[in-house]
Amino acid sequence: MSVKEMKRILVTGAVGQIGSELTMALRARYGGENVVASGHRTAPGPELRDSGPFEFLNVSQRETLEAVVDKYAIDTIYHMAAILSATGEERPHLAWDVNINGLYNVLEVAREREMARLFCPSSIAAFGPETPQIDTPQETVLRPTTMYGVTKVAGELLCNYYVKRFGLDVRGVRYPGIISSETLPGGGTTDYAVAIFYEAIKHRRYTCFVREDTVLPMMYMPDCIRATLMLMEADVDQLVHHADFNLAGLSFSAGELAAEIQKHLPDFVCEYAPDFRQQIADSWPRTIDDSAARAEWGWQPQYGLAEMTTDMLEKLGQKHAEGTL
Ligand code: AKB
């Protein structure tokens, strides 16, 4: 595959949890003017708005995507716009439209313009109840039971097809649940692992929507951003996989997370009231084998539970003190 330079970048879903921090990291690396942030409806915050271009577009409406791509001569897309697992169960048709039709539009627009590179993330939601839950292997059963998971498996296959059939340089990882302090996640099953921190700081109480013994693979945002940039900058000749890398950070139960927070805030109380998201969580792995990512592009996570918790509480505590939480 020929290697082209990434000069003009578009981030879809730039107002979202990962997109917002990824855009700032890309702007720091490639220059604010060279990284176009885009969102569907939500207006960007001041940091995103003032550090480079911002455009509204709807990935399901191809002409709105094409207009932005052509206006800025985009050669690289980080396609972060997606409907997540919990919203996907409430609105399966919307999940299909955004996650499949949107992805297809991104791939086609990129193929037609012979773009340099594309990042299209998958998720641990690509796995299902028949997948081994401990050290889930890179190559394994992909039979998810959520619409989000179905779109992620189809998306991986589609991206890998574009690599093979059209020589388009598409890359992606199966993100675990992402924990972060800047932008709240929306509509995911792993959202409790972020909400617990906000509620612990603000009210010293949280009612968790999965059971105390629920273990899921997670990752702290600095590791998530580093992994994303590392994969996109990896030597393509070293890649055996492309759009479906397993990626591990840390794994813990909801109860272990609450206990770690209690080390810092002894009066924090966590209760458990599982809802429909429990079933989704139960269908996903507990730990991930990411040896392909480690071997092919040198992946190594840096944050464990203790480091992540200390950093989250420090950052959110600061915001609380400033009255911005
Ligand atoms: C979700 O919970 O839906 C996402 C994911 C694991 O992809 N955070």
Side-chain angles (χ1 to χ4, degrees):
M1 194 177 286
S2 70
V3 179
K4 295 183 194 155
E5 233 188 302
M6 303 185 282
K7 293 194 211 100
R8 301 282 287 173
I9 297 170
L10 172 68
V11 182
T12 71
V15 188
Q17 186 199 12
I18 304 177
S20 55
E21 293 200 43
L22 178 63
T23 301
M24 295 311 296
L26 289 168
R27 283 181 174 165
R29 207 173 187 94
Y30 298 104
E33 283 310 303
N34 295 321
V35 180
V36 181
S38 70
H40 182 204
R41 286 209 190 102
T42 312
E47 206 190 14
L48 209 56
R49 191 193 54 214
D50 300 339
S51 56
F54 183 89
E55 298 281 347
F56 285 106
L57 61 83
N58 179 351
V59 290
S60 305
Q61 286 166 9
R62 183 162 160 173
E63 63 288 357
T64 68
L65 175 66
E66 283 174 327
V68 174
V69 162
D70 292 338
K71 177 173 170 188
Y72 293 95
I74 296 296
D75 56 41
T76 303
I77 301 179
Y78 287 75
H79 178 41
M80 311 308 289
I83 300 294
L84 300 186
S85 57
T87 305
E89 287 315 282
E90 286 161 346
R91 305 185 66 188
H93 303 102
L94 178 70
W96 181 268
D97 189 34
V98 174
N99 297 0
I100 293 294
N101 297 334
L103 174 63
Y104 182 71
N105 288 339
V106 168
L107 288 167
E108 273 298 280
V109 166
R111 180 187 66 80
E112 284 173 1
R113 286 155 184 79
E114 299 181 2
M115 283 195 191
R117 219 162 292 174
L118 239 61
F119 182 79
C120 301
S122 182
S123 156
I124 52 163
F127 304 117
E130 294 154 77
T131 308
Q133 283 194 312
I134 308 292
D135 282 339
T136 300
Q138 176 69 44
E139 318 299 343
T140 186
V141 183
L142 297 176
R143 275 193 215 117
T145 47
T146 61
M147 177 55 103
Y148 176 59
V150 169
T151 66
K152 285 296 159 187
V153 174
E156 286 182 5
L157 294 172
L158 193 60
C159 289
N160 285 334
Y161 177 81
Y162 270 68
V163 173
K164 208 161 168 235
R165 176 71 175 80
F166 301 117
L168 193 62
D169 189 350
V170 192
R171 308 181 186 192
V173 294
R174 294 171 175 151
Y175 280 137
I178 304 299
I179 297 169
S180 66
S181 57
E182 300 309 303
T183 307
L184 278 166
T189 300
T190 57
D191 293 9
Y192 67 87
V194 181
I196 192 171
F197 283 100
Y198 281 72
E199 295 307 307
I201 296 265
K202 285 200 283 195
H203 308 297
R204 297 288 192 273
R205 276 199 105 78
Y206 180 59
T207 304
C208 184
F209 58 76
V210 296
R211 277 192 325 268
E212 190 173 0
D213 63 352
T214 305
V215 177
L216 285 174
M218 302 279 179
M219 179 171 279
Y220 195 34
M221 187 61 95
D223 272 344
C224 168
I225 299 296
R226 207 165 46 81
T228 306
L229 299 182
M230 273 180 81
L231 174 57
M232 282 295 270
E233 287 171 5
D235 178 354
V236 73
D237 295 332
Q238 300 299 314
L239 302 184
V240 179
H241 299 85
H242 292 274
D244 55 3
F245 280 100
N246 274 8
L247 186 70
L250 60 160
S251 282
F252 50 77
S253 69
E256 284 166 339
L257 177 58
E260 193 64 34
I261 293 173
Q262 276 156 351
K263 288 185 191 165
H264 300 259
L265 306 171
D267 54 343
F268 171 58
V269 176
C270 189
E271 290 164 323
Y272 301 87
D275 66 14
F276 74 100
R277 290 168 282 192
Q278 182 68 53
Q279 211 184 340
I280 302 177
D282 288 343
S283 75
W284 290 352
R286 294 159 77 94
T287 56
I288 300 285
D289 173 356
D290 63 357
S291 44
R294 289 172 188 249
E296 292 175 41
W297 46 278
W299 171 242
Q300 185 88 54
Q302 283 176 350
Y303 283 84
L305 180 58
E307 298 81 30
M308 182 272 289
T309 304
T310 304
D311 203 50
M312 276 294 281
L313 290 174
E314 208 175 287
K315 294 220 161 77
L316 294 180
Q318 178 83 29
K319 287 186 186 210
H320 191 53
E322 290 163 0
T324 56
L325 195 64

